[in-house]
Amino acid sequence: MTVLVKVAARIRARGLGVGFAGVLLSAMLLVGCSEEEPPEAEAPLAEQTDTGAMGEVLPSLPVTLECPVPVADPLVIEDIVLEPAEQALAEAPAPAAQIPKLSIIIDDIGHNREAGERVIALPGPVALAIMPFTRNAQALAQLAAAAGKPVMLHLPMENMAGLAIGEGGLNTQMERAGFDAQLQASLNAFSPIQGVNNHMGSKLTADRERMDWLMARLGERKLFFVDSRTTKDTQAAFAAQAKGVASVSRDIFLDNQRNDIDLEREFKLVLARARKQGSAVLIGHPYPETLRFLERRLPELEAKEGVRLVSVQTLLSRAQ
Ligand SMILES: [Zn+2]
């Protein structure tokens, strides 16, 4: 018996296939049994790791080979019954949970109607982050929602550089009443709004107290938050978690440089991040170069890169 098992193990190690080895082993066991060999206590295979057809190391099989072979012998079941299922699994497309996911948000929408409509026309659930009190905010929010695109408020927040942030902005000098009033006005500036992310905000997002105020309101309205991560000191995601607000953080900015080489480099970077983490969040802006790039790259994304474009809501439960 020991010899028979070793022969089968050798065949498996030579890559002839688990199934073939299993069938041979079973045939040999049957022959062995018909010859009424005395049963052996334990096969040496039980202590080995094995090499599968793809070269991966398989775990040791906790099996005792006896003769006659019990019907429920795990080795025989695995070799003969499960092998076709494994084969089928290898041929089937990967389960949805295993396909790397990419979510894209385009910020700073609302000033330019045509650019906004080009974002809405992009394939897949690309989110529009619309600035409050901009001329085309309401029209684009409605068009985007009708097209099934996620719609977010792109909320202006104070930055370290002192750059103008536009109407509806929040800053670190505001006391709670003024902060709340400004926030509610921005949240009411257009509809529908499903979530919020920050425009700039390298100063305000580091202010934990005001992030707590923000998240308290978003929690009441059942809105999600995407931390654009404009500073490494951001407290936004921590505040969101503390208030039970669903959130996720930006991984890569697509278009800090707007030429094809840099766009492609950042895009490759976010795809690599998605493959490594399982998912990633990309933020871009409605520049003509960015829109041309996405119009070219998104239709082929899953077929060419094996990464699936998903809505940002899909990634909200992701650990920060
Ligand atoms: Zn912005």
Side-chain angles (χ1 to χ4, degrees), residues 107-108 154 199:
D107 282 355
D108 299 352
H154 192 46
H199 171 68

Side-chain angles (χ1 to χ4, degrees), residues 168-191:
L170 301 171
N171 66 56
T172 54
Q173 303 306 306
M174 289 174 160
E175 293 304 324
R176 180 141 200 184
F179 185 96
D180 259 344
Q182 184 71 280
L183 172 59
Q184 301 277 27
S186 293
L187 287 168
N188 292 331
F190 61 88
S191 70

Side-chain angles (χ1 to χ4, degrees), residues 81-302:
V81 179
L82 294 187
E83 191 274 337
E86 287 170 359
Q87 185 68 31
L89 253 181
E91 289 168 2
Q98 292 175 8
I99 298 175
K101 297 178 181 69
L102 174 67
S103 176
I104 301 178
I105 300 165
I106 304 298
D107 282 355
D108 299 352
I109 300 288
H111 299 288
N112 184 308
R113 172 90 181 226
E114 188 203 339
E117 289 182 356
R118 279 179 76 181
V119 174
I120 293 169
L122 288 170
V126 174
L128 284 82
I130 302 175
M131 302 200 69
F133 312 112
T134 50
R135 188 198 310 199
N136 298 292
Q138 183 57 56
L140 289 170
Q142 280 177 327
L143 283 173
K149 311 289 180 179
V151 178
M152 300 167 63
L153 169 65
H154 192 46
L155 187 58
M157 296 187 192
E158 185 179 8
N159 57 80
M160 294 297 286
L163 298 169
I165 54 177
E167 200 177 341
L170 301 171
N171 66 56
T172 54
Q173 303 306 306
M174 289 174 160
E175 293 304 324
R176 180 141 200 184
F179 185 96
D180 259 344
Q182 184 71 280
L183 172 59
Q184 301 277 27
S186 293
L187 287 168
N188 292 331
F190 61 88
S191 70
I193 291 174
Q194 295 161 296
V196 174
N197 74 336
N198 51 296
H199 171 68
M200 301 190 180
S202 54
K203 188 163 186 185
L204 187 70
T205 58
D207 183 327
R208 177 59 190 262
E209 184 180 27
R210 282 165 183 78
M211 287 299 99
D212 285 339
W213 298 347
L214 169 67
M215 298 307 165
R217 290 288 167 252
L218 299 193
E220 284 171 8
R221 292 193 178 221
K222 305 268 187 292
L223 298 172
F224 65 82
F225 186 80
V226 176
D227 188 350
S228 307
R229 288 194 62 82
T230 52
T231 169
K232 65 177 174 44
D233 299 322
T234 178
Q235 298 296 306
F238 300 123
Q241 285 181 338
K243 290 283 187 294
V245 171
S247 73
V248 69
S249 295
R250 184 266 314 163
D251 288 281
I252 300 286
F253 278 122
L254 175 61
D255 47 12
N256 285 338
Q257 306 294 325
R258 293 184 240 161
N259 60 77
D260 274 349
I261 292 171
D262 286 323
L263 288 167
E264 184 64 35
R265 190 191 59 237
E266 297 306 308
F267 197 63
K268 282 269 188 332
L269 211 55
V270 82
L271 294 179
R273 191 78 71 93
R275 291 183 186 109
K276 187 177 174 196
Q277 301 176 162
S279 63
V281 176
L282 178 70
I283 292 184
H285 301 83
Y287 302 128
E289 299 89 340
T290 303
L291 294 174
R292 266 199 308 275
F293 179 84
L294 292 175
E295 285 162 355
R296 178 166 59 80
R297 289 298 256 121
L298 292 190
E300 63 183 16
L301 181 65
E302 190 160 339

Side-chain angles (χ1 to χ4, degrees), residues 1-7 9 40-49 60-61 63-65:
M1 280 300 295
T2 305
V3 171
L4 295 177
V5 171
K6 279 181 176 170
V7 168
E40 291 184 20
E42 198 164 341
L45 191 61
E47 299 301 320
Q48 298 172 353
T49 55
S60 297
L61 297 171
V63 58
T64 299
L65 284 180

